[in-house]
């Protein structure tokens, strides 16, 4: 199977429609449509945090991309129901789009902040568990391809830490 056939197979299963928002309205974070990720406690093992997705890419990036889809749906609905004059239609569409622009801007700020916090959490946990410094972790992370659990395992193995011996039974 060549790459074009793989692409067509993927395209048959691809659905660009974002999932339906499952969040109740919050007046303090009105631009977020979805539930926030629940991080594990700071004393949880690093392996459990990796499996929970505490170190994964921020979900706000994907939500920001979905806002383009929501904006298109809203503008399409607006265009079919618009009853005003033709001259004012562009301004009215801009008013509809302004909310989405602001929402995307705030999601971008949240995504950057969340990404920074997740990186700092990963570095802190790796330094606590296996030692090392941030530059070493960053260099290895940039060249690594795989899951987060595989990365943590590879980083642990690269540190050449002594193996924990079982307690002898007397």
């Amino acid at each position: 199977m060549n790459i074009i056939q793989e692409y067509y197979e993927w395209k048959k299963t691809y659905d660009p429609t974002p999932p339906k928002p499952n969040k109740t309205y919050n007046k303090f974070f009105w631009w977020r449509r979805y539930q926030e990720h629940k991080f594990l406690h700071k004393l949880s093992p690093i392996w459990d945090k990796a499996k929970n997705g505490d170190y994964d890419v921020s979900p706000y990036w994907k939500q920001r991309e979905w806002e383009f889809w929501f904006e298109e749906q809203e503008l399409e609905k607006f265009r079919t129901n618009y009853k005003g004059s033709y001259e004012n239609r562009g301004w009215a569409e801009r008013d509809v789009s302004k909310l989405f622009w602001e929402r995307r801007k705030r999601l971008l700020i949240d995504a950057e902040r969340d990404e920074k916090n997740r990186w700092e959490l990963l570095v802190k946990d790796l330094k606590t568990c296996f030692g090392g410094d941030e530059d070493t972790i960053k260099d290895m992370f940039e060249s690594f391809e795989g899951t987060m659990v595989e990365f943590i395992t590879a980083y642990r193995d690269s540190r050449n830490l002594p193996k924990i011996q079982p307690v002898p039974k007397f």
Side-chain angles (χ1 to χ4, degrees):
M1 185 182 282
N2 65 16
I3 194 160
I4 295 172
Q5 291 171 338
E6 288 179 16
Y7 170 73
Y8 284 126
E9 289 297 319
W10 170 81
K11 193 171 180 180
K12 288 178 188 174
T13 62
Y14 177 70
D15 183 18
T17 309
K20 187 170 176 71
N22 57 354
K23 184 177 187 287
T24 57
Y25 183 74
N26 181 347
K27 68 180 179 179
F28 300 109
F29 294 106
W30 58 267
W31 59 92
R32 297 181 185 174
R33 294 181 187 259
Y34 299 91
Q35 291 285 353
E36 293 183 28
H37 173 75
K38 300 289 186 212
F39 288 91
L40 293 180
H41 190 268
K42 65 180 182 178
L43 298 178
S44 299
I46 193 169
W47 308 105
D48 292 344
K49 289 181 181 181
K51 289 176 187 167
N52 188 44
D54 290 2
Y55 308 125
D56 290 344
V57 176
S58 176
Y60 297 125
W61 295 113
K62 192 58 125 172
Q63 292 176 25
R64 185 176 182 273
E65 293 302 314
W66 290 337
E67 284 303 316
F68 290 105
W69 187 84
F70 285 125
E71 181 181 14
E72 279 301 314
Q73 298 299 312
E74 193 69 29
L75 284 174
E76 186 177 311
K77 187 172 24 169
F78 172 78
R79 288 177 187 132
T80 58
N81 298 330
Y82 184 67
K83 303 284 191 239
S85 67
Y86 182 77
E87 293 81 21
N88 295 334
R89 182 176 176 175
W91 288 104
E93 283 185 11
R94 186 175 181 279
D95 288 341
V96 171
S97 293
K98 272 198 303 190
L99 176 69
F100 292 96
W101 294 344
E102 183 67 25
R103 181 173 271 142
R104 283 193 301 264
K105 183 181 92 170
R106 289 180 184 235
L107 283 170
L108 175 66
I109 293 168
D110 284 350
E112 290 171 345
R113 184 182 320 128
D114 190 40
E115 200 73 24
K116 179 179 176 284
N117 292 341
R118 286 171 185 249
W119 172 253
E120 289 173 354
L121 178 66
L122 173 66
V123 169
K124 181 178 135 294
D125 288 346
L126 284 173
K127 285 169 42 175
T128 302
C129 293
F130 309 118
D133 60 341
E134 186 171 356
D135 293 332
T136 308
I137 296 169
K138 183 178 179 184
D139 292 339
M140 187 172 176
F141 189 79
E142 287 176 348
S143 63
F144 187 81
E145 291 184 18
T147 64
M148 192 56 69
V149 175
E150 293 169 352
F151 172 73
I152 293 170
T153 305
Y155 182 75
R156 179 194 65 193
D157 296 342
S158 73
R159 296 288 299 151
N160 295 326
L161 298 173
K163 303 290 185 224
I164 298 174
Q165 301 296 326
V167 178
K169 295 181 181 178
F170 295 105

